[in-house]
Amino acid sequence: MTKLPKPIQKIIGQLRKFPGVGSKTAERYAFELLEWDPSIIEQLSSSLRNLQKEVQPCSTCNCLKTEDECEFCSEGKRETDTLCLVSSPKDIYPIEEMRSFKGLYHVLEALFSPLDGNNIEKIDLSKIKKRIELHQIKDVILALDSTLEGDATALYLKEEMKAWNVSISRLAFGIPLGSSFEYVDPGTLARAFLG
């Protein structure tokens, strides 16, 4: 069998790094790219080149922001008595899609996962405590994936926050065990928040 040209092999190798993209899918994408107009390829490569420069974590809440102010922690746009803790910036968007949570967000730097080298020390509680005190937050929602790491982190956070004079709750109903937020529909997520 004749080998694919090296540039196509290289693109296939890079595309396979995406979650859920196997060899055949990557090969199909690579051949599709050969059919694209060069101007579209240039736009794609420019977008990829600038992505990490144009989108940065907010220094306050760790949510994603562009050069403008962070829409998730800017004054006057959010209710400041509730703080929702999530494990990844991508978890915020399904929550926002349901349009019923109006509070503040905070993205944890890591979940407790000793196998991955993420120990408790990687979770910066001082930043969270400072925001709770600054905004006089009454309720903290632990919106963490229902996984071993999410459960361990939630348990740790609940214990640490007991003395902070806040009500602590965790998403409970509707989210299947072992699932990730990116696969949960807004209706299920809304029911979980109500629970």
Side-chain angles (χ1 to χ4, degrees):
M1 183 176 167
T2 307
K3 285 188 176 182
L4 293 169
K6 283 204 184 302
I8 293 178
Q9 290 180 30
K10 187 176 178 183
I11 290 291
I12 289 170
Q14 291 167 339
L15 290 171
R16 287 187 62 203
K17 293 179 181 178
F18 285 101
V21 176
S23 297
K24 289 294 179 190
T25 302
E27 185 178 313
R28 199 167 60 247
Y29 289 168
F31 278 100
E32 177 65 26
L33 288 170
L34 287 173
E35 303 295 321
W36 285 15
D37 186 272
S39 65
I40 304 289
I41 296 281
E42 184 53 42
Q43 289 172 14
L44 175 62
S45 64
S46 174
S47 295
L48 290 172
R49 198 171 25 258
N50 295 320
L51 181 64
Q52 292 181 334
K53 285 185 260 179
E54 293 175 353
V55 180
Q56 297 284 321
C58 172
S59 60
T60 303
C61 66
N62 297 329
C63 299
L64 297 179
K65 72 179 200 75
T66 56
E67 291 176 10
D68 305 326
E69 64 181 18
C70 175
E71 68 175 283
F72 298 113
C73 63
S74 55
E75 291 294 321
K77 291 186 177 180
R78 311 292 301 190
E79 294 172 6
T80 59
D81 62 345
T82 306
L83 180 67
C84 180
L85 300 181
V86 296
S87 61
S88 167
K90 69 181 179 183
D91 294 340
I92 292 167
Y93 300 98
I95 296 170
E96 282 294 291
E97 197 174 298
M98 71 180 187
R99 292 179 170 38
S100 60
F101 179 72
K102 308 288 186 216
L104 300 172
Y105 292 99
H106 190 88
V107 179
L108 300 173
E109 286 83 0
L111 292 181
F112 177 51
S113 178
L115 295 176
D116 296 327
N118 292 337
N119 296 319
I120 292 300
E121 298 81 38
K122 288 203 173 182
I123 300 173
D124 187 0
L125 290 176
S126 64
K127 212 171 172 183
I128 298 167
K129 188 172 185 177
K130 183 178 176 184
R131 292 189 73 201
I132 288 172
E133 291 170 351
L134 175 69
H135 295 291
Q136 298 178 335
I137 289 169
K138 298 178 183 78
D139 298 305
V140 174
I141 299 169
L142 304 177
L144 305 176
D145 288 342
S146 186
T147 60
L148 187 60
E149 294 84 4
D151 291 344
T153 304
L155 185 63
Y156 167 73
L157 291 172
K158 277 185 177 182
E159 283 299 312
E160 291 296 313
M161 292 182 186
K162 273 184 182 176
W164 293 5
N165 198 28
V166 291
S167 170
I168 303 163
S169 57
R170 178 142 189 233
L171 299 187
F173 301 104
I175 298 180
L177 184 64
S179 66
S180 234
F181 274 118
E182 61 187 321
Y183 303 113
V184 177
D185 66 284
T188 303
L189 202 52
R191 282 195 302 277
F193 260 87
L194 290 173

